[in-house]
């Protein structure tokens, strides 16, 4: 029996009493992935990206491990909810226009002490001030650095379009604006190098493309390390008491951790290891989060149909954004249909061994987005479900 076949047998045994659709997290794989992130971070704390987990119980589990500290959240409403739930170190990774949320933050000392918000423009400070509604708590602020690689005099840009702040002078200017402004305290800098951390460099069957990605990423790492160090020096000259400099992502943990200017690493997808993280030379993780769909039809030889399964991931549309049939090995989509809203035909010789009611296991393209489809995660240890825990959705929250 292959290792994948053994995993399938474990998952089937563990969930034999449960009807699909359902979602699981293999805790042995989850914990091994967490250990690998800590190893690659080489002594720098890992801040967990909550959007890649979207389950409070699993956030608590990973933050109880040595080497992890704090949460990187994705909306202000989520940040406030987590703070009310007892998490006390939350960095909101994206600017917000949630006026009601800012009013609540500015009025509550516990929330204001736990949550740090992201800004890259004085207009965002204006919005927060206008939303305070009498709240006088000091708002903790982090500045975001644009990490994109620009070539040919800026005519070619590689990387996400995020912050407009790129140079040390630009960040120092905004740091001075924050420092002069009552009601705000600058505590951190964040820089997410998505073109390094979130792009695989070992693409099956595409050696030239893979080499080009590796060359691009090597150049981007060198340029960013130099620029990030200069930015940190410039901002510390304005705010010597800066608490943290956050960088990285699952695919770049060890490279970012090697920079002296960086004090902590952000990562989250590396806990679940969705399919987009299969194509990296820098690390190998264990798929930990899966979902199962039941076989409901057998249309013919070499074909089964499962219920649902059309759960595409965010990002530029393409085949790499689709979930993939994982277990049993050898099933593929019908190219005329793909994964469907209500039913998904699957082709391949393993279909002939599947019976009505059997489970087919899938991997999502991205990590936490799976949890938007399920109210609960079945936590598996060995071949036993040891707990059922709610996702954000299961607790009544869909923040985006």
């Amino acid at each position: 029996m292959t290792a994948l076949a053994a995993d399938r047998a474990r998952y089937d045994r563990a969930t034999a009493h449960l009807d699909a659709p359902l979602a699981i997290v293999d805790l042995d794989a989850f914990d091994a992935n967490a250990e690998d992130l800590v190893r690659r971070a080489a002594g720098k704390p890992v801040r967990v990206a909550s959007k890649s987990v979207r389950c409070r119980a699993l956030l608590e589990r990973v933050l109880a491990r040595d080497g992890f500290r704090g949460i990187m959240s994705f909306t202000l409403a989520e940040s406030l909810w987590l703070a009310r739930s007892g998490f006390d170190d939350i960095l909101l990774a994206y600017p917000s226009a949630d006026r009601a949320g800012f009013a609540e933050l500015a009025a509550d000392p516990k929330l204001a002490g736990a949550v740090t918000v992201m800004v890259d423009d004085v207009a965002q400070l204006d919005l927060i001030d206008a939303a305070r509604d009498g709240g006088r708590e000091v708002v903790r602020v982090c500045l975001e650095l644009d990490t994109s690689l620009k070539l040919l005099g800026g005519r070619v840009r590689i990387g996400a379009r995020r912050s407009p702040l790129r140079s040390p002078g630009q960040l120092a200017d905004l740091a001075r604006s924050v420092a002069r402004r009552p009601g705000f305290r600058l505590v951190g800098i964040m820089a997410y190098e998505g073109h390094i951390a979130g792009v695989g460099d070992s693409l099956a069957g595409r050696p030239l493309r893979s080499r080009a990605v590796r060359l691009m990423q090597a150049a981007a790492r060198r340029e960013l390390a130099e620029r990030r160090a200069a930015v940190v020096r410039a901002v510390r000259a304005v705010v010597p008491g800066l608490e943290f400099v956050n960088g990285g992502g699952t695919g770049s943990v060890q490279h970012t951790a090697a920079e002296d200017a960086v004090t902590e690493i952000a990562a989250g997808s590396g806990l679940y290891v969705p399919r987009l993280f299969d194509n990296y030379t820098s690390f190998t993780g264990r798929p930990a989060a899966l979902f199962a769909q039941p076989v409901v039809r057998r249309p013919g030889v070499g074909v089964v149909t499962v219920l649902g399964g059309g759960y595409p991931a965010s990002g530029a549309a393409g085949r790499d954004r689709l979930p993939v049939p994982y277990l049993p090995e050898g099933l593929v989509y019908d190219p005329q249909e793909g994964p469907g809203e209500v039913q998904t035909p699957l082709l391949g010789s393993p279909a002939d061994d599947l019976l009505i009611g059997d489970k087919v296991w899938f991997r999502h393209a991205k990590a936490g987005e799976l949890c938007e489809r399920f109210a609960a995660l079945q936590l598996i240890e060995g071949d036993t479900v040891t707990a059922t825990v709610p996702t954000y959705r299961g607790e009544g929250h869909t923040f985006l």
Side-chain angles (χ1 to χ4, degrees):
M1 181 181 290
T2 67
L4 287 180
D7 282 341
R8 181 195 173 201
R10 285 197 301 116
Y11 301 149
D12 282 347
R13 285 196 299 272
T15 63
H17 62 296
L18 300 171
D19 289 332
L22 58 84
I24 67 167
V25 170
D26 182 334
L27 290 180
D28 295 332
F30 181 90
D31 290 343
N33 293 334
E35 183 177 343
D36 184 64
L37 289 172
V38 170
R39 176 189 62 80
R40 291 196 285 136
K44 292 186 177 178
V46 178
R47 185 179 290 274
V48 184
S50 63
K51 76 179 180 66
S52 300
V53 179
R54 301 193 203 198
C55 171
R56 279 199 302 164
L58 290 176
L59 289 173
E60 291 167 353
R61 183 184 183 93
V62 73
L63 286 170
R65 300 179 64 95
D66 290 341
F68 289 85
R69 186 179 69 204
I71 289 174
M72 177 176 282
S73 58
F74 61 101
T75 75
L76 181 55
E78 179 213 15
S79 305
L80 300 177
W81 176 65
L82 290 172
R84 287 191 220 97
S85 301
F87 297 97
D88 60 4
D89 181 2
I90 303 159
L91 170 61
L92 175 56
Y94 308 87
S96 176
D98 180 355
R99 291 175 173 82
F102 283 127
E104 189 174 353
L105 178 70
D108 188 317
K110 176 183 176 181
L111 299 180
V115 176
T116 301
V117 303
M118 191 65 59
V119 301
D120 56 34
D121 192 311
V122 171
Q124 293 155 351
L125 301 176
D126 294 339
L127 186 147
I128 295 170
D129 266 340
R132 283 179 180 271
D133 194 28
R136 296 182 178 275
E137 295 300 323
V138 172
V139 175
R140 293 166 54 86
V141 168
C142 178
L143 307 183
E144 182 169 2
L145 166 68
D146 169 36
T147 66
S148 63
L149 176 65
K150 292 188 176 181
L151 304 172
L152 301 177
R155 293 191 296 275
V156 175
R157 175 195 177 104
I158 302 171
R161 297 182 182 276
R162 292 176 63 114
S163 172
L165 304 176
R166 182 169 181 83
S167 70
Q170 288 175 315
L171 278 100
D173 285 346
L174 186 53
R176 279 187 283 270
S177 295
V178 175
R180 288 194 298 260
R181 193 156 182 155
F184 294 92
R185 182 166 76 251
L186 179 58
V187 298
I189 299 171
M190 188 195 85
Y192 171 58
E193 51 265 46
H195 52 303
I196 303 171
V199 177
D201 63 349
S202 180
L203 308 176
R206 304 184 69 182
L208 295 180
R209 169 76 174 177
S210 298
R211 177 169 172 74
V213 170
R214 287 194 290 273
L215 290 172
M216 176 277 290
Q217 291 179 338
R221 284 196 299 269
R222 289 192 297 270
E223 186 276 337
L224 178 59
E226 181 178 338
R227 184 159 53 89
R228 179 156 40 199
V231 162
V232 172
R233 287 193 299 271
V235 174
R236 286 195 186 278
V238 178
V239 183
L242 206 65
E243 295 177 13
F244 64 86
V245 177
N246 180 281
T250 288
S252 69
V253 170
Q254 64 270 39
H255 301 297
T256 309
E259 295 183 35
D260 291 338
V262 174
T263 67
E264 64 175 38
I265 309 299
S269 295
L271 296 169
Y272 285 175
V273 186
R275 66 166 293 197
L276 283 177
F277 286 85
D278 285 348
N279 304 314
Y280 285 76
T281 57
S282 60
F283 80 105
T284 300
R286 292 173 54 184
L290 308 174
F291 67 93
Q293 304 295 113
V295 174
V296 293
R297 287 179 172 164
R298 292 170 49 89
V301 175
V303 186
V304 292
T305 301
V306 298
L307 184 70
Y311 306 157
S314 60
R319 292 183 61 82
D320 65 342
R321 301 291 148 166
L322 300 179
V324 289
Y326 182 54
L327 301 171
E329 296 178 82
L331 293 174
V332 298
Y333 293 124
D334 182 334
Q336 302 301 315
E337 297 194 47
E341 178 186 9
V342 178
Q343 67 170 29
T344 297
L346 299 170
L347 313 180
S349 58
D352 294 329
D353 296 323
L354 291 169
L355 305 176
I356 300 296
D358 283 352
K359 296 180 177 76
V360 175
W361 296 91
F362 292 77
R363 294 174 66 197
H364 203 279
K366 298 184 79 172
E369 291 183 26
L370 168 65
C371 295
E372 297 299 329
R373 297 286 183 166
F374 292 91
L377 298 172
Q378 310 297 327
L379 305 185
I380 292 179
E381 296 182 75
D383 60 359
T384 304
V385 172
T386 56
T388 300
V389 296
T391 61
Y392 281 11
R393 173 179 170 173
E395 295 200 70
H397 296 288
T398 52
F399 293 108
L400 277 181

